[in-house]
Structure formats: C-alpha cells, structure tokens
Amino acid sequence: MPKLPKKMRFNKINRAFQLIFCLALSQSFSQSISYKILTDLPYYESPINDTYQKQRCKLDLYFPEGIQNFPTIIWFHGGGLKRGSKAIPEQLKEKGLAVVAVNYRLHPKVNAPKYIEDAAAAVAWVFKNIGQHGGDTSQIYLCGFSSGGYLSLMVTLDQKWLKEHSIEANQIKGVITLSATTFTNHTIRKEYGMDITQALIDHYAPVHYARGDAPPITLITGDREKEFFGMYEENAYLRRMLNINGHTQNELIEIGGYGHEISEVGIPLILERVND
C-alpha cells in the first residue's frame, strides 16, 4: 500500500482520535444521566366513552431527568395495523433523548382512519406536553417500523390530521422510517376487500401527499429482493414523488442482505440522524 502524505495521515489520525474522544465523552455523559419512564398515559384530551379506545390509546414516555432541551423520538410499533404493542426500543435507551412509545387501535376492532387519528392525537400530546419534562418541541422526530412508519408518514405528509389538534405538521423536525408502507396500507386494502398483492394509492397513502415543503424524510428499507411485498419499491416511489414536488431533504437507504425486519441495523441509523 502506498504511503499517505504526512499531512493526510495526520488528518486521518486526528479525525479518528476526535471521533473516539467524542464517542467516549458521549457515552460517559449518557451514563451520568438518570432516566425516568411514565407508562400508560392517555393521549386523547377529551373524555372517552369507548372501552377499547380507553384501553389502547395510551403511550409510554421515557426521558432523561435533570437536563433541558433534549430531542424526542415518537416511536410507532409495527404489526400491519392489526397486532403489536408499545415498547421502548432498547437501542434508543440511555442516549440523552426522550422516547415516546405509542399504542393505537387495531384492526379488526377498528377500521381506517382510526389508526391515523390515534397517531395524530399521540403526536399532538407530545407537542403539548414534552416541554413540561424538559424536551425541546422543535426537536420532535416521528419514527416507526413497517405500519408504524406508515403512520409516521401519514400524519406528516397529510397535514389535516394534526391540524385537528391545532398542530402544524411542519413543526416536526424529521421523519425516519424503517420498512414503511407508502402506498395505501395492506390492512386498509383488506378492508376494501382487496388482496395484499393488489397495489393501491388513494387518500390513505402517504405518497398521495408527497409535497415539497415537508420536513426532512429518511426512508430505510431492507434488500429489495428480500423485503415484504415490494416495500423497497414503494419507498423508492415516495422518494421520487417527493423530489418531483421540490422536496430536497430526503434520502432512501437500502440495507442489503436484510428482509423486512431491519430494526437491529436501522435504529442506529435513526440515532445518527437525530444526533446530526
């Protein structure tokens, strides 16, 4: 291997040293922070008469104590809008930020648009309450896996859902999704009597609302040959439509060799973007 010029070698070593130092400092800082979790907080403001809504429409708030102006990740679990439950991903813990894990109502007990209404209500709750715990409302990120990513994109791109709660969707700092549905979700297609292999873009599709002024969006998928029913192509199409509509702060990341379940390798990419 040819020798690097002395100056270049120094710069590379210096940058490596700085990176190691910063990572060590960050880890030490994170370990010195204590964290608190509040569980099963209802996120609808008005009284609820429906038993199932009372049961499901709750969130968990995990946050660092004793510091101010930290970012917040709102995490929507996957499960095809018909299964799953809120949980704070282990990889997001002790990182100097808050994580909000959201439960929402599921099919077949409800149909669209209840899932989206719940997601919007949870996001609005965070905007209205995270400041009381030290969070910075200008640093709220929407994230989720699979159908959780779908909900993150829907409430961001279709602005009417958050406007119902007097929140502007463009207040969201960024959206980072893992293997998200960007066409009409396959469970909603099932509600229409359609097969999962029948593609549909209607008013329940995030791509239908691709707009140039949306917050920054990162779309992360597994390998296009291993993903769930064309999920990579759905994400590629959303990115294309965002670009066509003048959106410049977006990216599409395909993780080779992985199928639909990419949380293990995808969550570190989320943290990189939140900490950027």
Side-chain angles (χ1 to χ4, degrees), residues 54-74:
K54 280 184 180 179
Q55 173 193 340
R56 284 291 300 185
C57 295
K58 296 178 180 179
L59 56 79
D60 294 345
L61 169 60
Y62 171 92
F63 64 99
E65 294 186 286
I67 63 173
Q68 297 291 314
N69 301 320
F70 48 78
T72 298
I73 290 175
I74 303 176

Side-chain angles (χ1 to χ4, degrees), residues 120-213:
V123 172
W125 186 95
V126 175
F127 270 102
K128 294 174 182 178
N129 291 277
I130 196 64
Q132 299 174 23
H133 303 283
D136 181 355
T137 55
S138 71
Q139 296 189 73
I140 293 176
Y141 295 81
L142 270 57
C143 305
F145 166 65
S146 193
S147 290
Y150 164 81
L151 293 174
S152 300
L153 290 167
M154 274 300 299
V155 300
T156 302
L157 292 173
D158 184 0
Q159 301 176 79
K160 71 173 178 285
W161 302 107
L162 285 173
K163 280 184 179 177
E164 290 289 326
H165 302 273
S166 301
I167 301 292
E168 292 296 327
N170 285 357
Q171 292 177 245
I172 295 165
K173 178 70 171 179
V175 183
I176 312 162
T177 62
L178 306 180
S179 296
T181 311
T182 75
F183 290 7
T184 303
N185 188 276
H186 52 276
T187 293
I188 299 176
R189 283 179 255 162
K190 180 181 177 181
E191 293 171 12
Y192 296 162
M194 297 175 62
D195 189 82
I196 193 171
T197 57
Q198 290 179 275
L200 178 68
I201 295 174
D202 70 356
H203 60 291
Y204 289 135
V207 72
H208 182 72
Y209 303 96
R211 53 190 178 87
D213 64 339

Side-chain angles (χ1 to χ4, degrees), residues 33-49:
I33 301 172
S34 62
Y35 291 82
K36 184 174 182 178
I37 185 166
L38 304 175
T39 60
D40 291 330
L41 303 175
Y43 54 76
Y44 274 101
E45 295 178 342
S46 55
I48 298 172
N49 297 319

